Amino acid sequence: VQLVESGGGSVQAGGSLRLSCVASGYNPSTYCRGWFRQAPEKEREGVAGFDSDGATSYRDSVKGRFTISQDNAKKILYLQMNSLKPEDTAMYYCAAAGRGNRYDCILDTWLELLPMGYSGQGTQVTVS
């Protein structure tokens, strides 16, 4: 099982980045899948996610700015991030965990399930 993120970088406030995550070795559509982030000395935060029906959820602070999407055939998960703010600076990880139902896919619940799922090595996003 492998998840590989890419697309991070350094941008100025107001800029955009598109993160990608390629999955291999399992069927991600049976899990809750999405993105979480962690900044130094801060707790991990769920950012955006999909359940197995394709319903999306977003952290309040990114609603209207971030968009999660996926290419099921290619097992690629995307996170389009617009209007970036310095507080978005963090390491961003894609992950798959939970059973894909709407309860497991509530972002806070999904975070608790991560140790039993899969996640990548992360990609750094820095906004100045």
Side-chain angles (χ1 to χ4, degrees):
V1 175
Q2 194 173 23
L3 294 167
V4 180
E5 303 97 337
S6 62
S10 297
V11 296
Q12 292 188 336
S16 297
L17 286 172
R18 189 193 195 202
L19 306 184
S20 299
C21 172
V22 180
S24 61
Y26 75 111
N27 182 3
S29 63
T30 60
Y31 295 84
C32 311
R33 55 215 176 275
W35 297 88
F36 70 93
R37 66 188 182 187
Q38 188 158 24
E41 301 183 355
K42 292 189 177 180
E43 291 189 358
R44 193 169 49 187
E45 299 178 337
V47 176
F50 276 112
D51 67 16
S52 58
D53 291 330
T56 58
S57 57
Y58 293 92
R59 181 176 191 80
D60 284 348
S61 63
V62 308
K63 286 180 180 177
R65 300 189 297 122
F66 290 12
T67 303
I68 190 171
S69 61
Q70 59 186 345
D71 182 329
N72 284 332
K74 297 181 179 179
K75 297 184 179 180
I76 303 176
L77 193 65
Y78 300 102
L79 186 67
Q80 178 67 43
M81 305 186 295
N82 299 328
S83 302
L84 282 161
K85 303 176 180 180
E87 52 263 44
D88 294 318
T89 295
M91 186 73 82
Y92 283 71
Y93 302 84
C94 71
R99 295 164 292 177
N101 61 65
R102 61 177 180 171
Y103 303 105
D104 283 5
C105 297
I106 295 170
L107 287 177
D108 287 346
T109 302
W110 180 63
L111 285 178
E112 296 176 1
L113 297 171
L114 287 179
M116 296 171 281
Y118 311 105
S119 59
Q121 294 300 307
T123 185
Q124 178 67 38
V125 172
T126 303
V127 185
S128 59

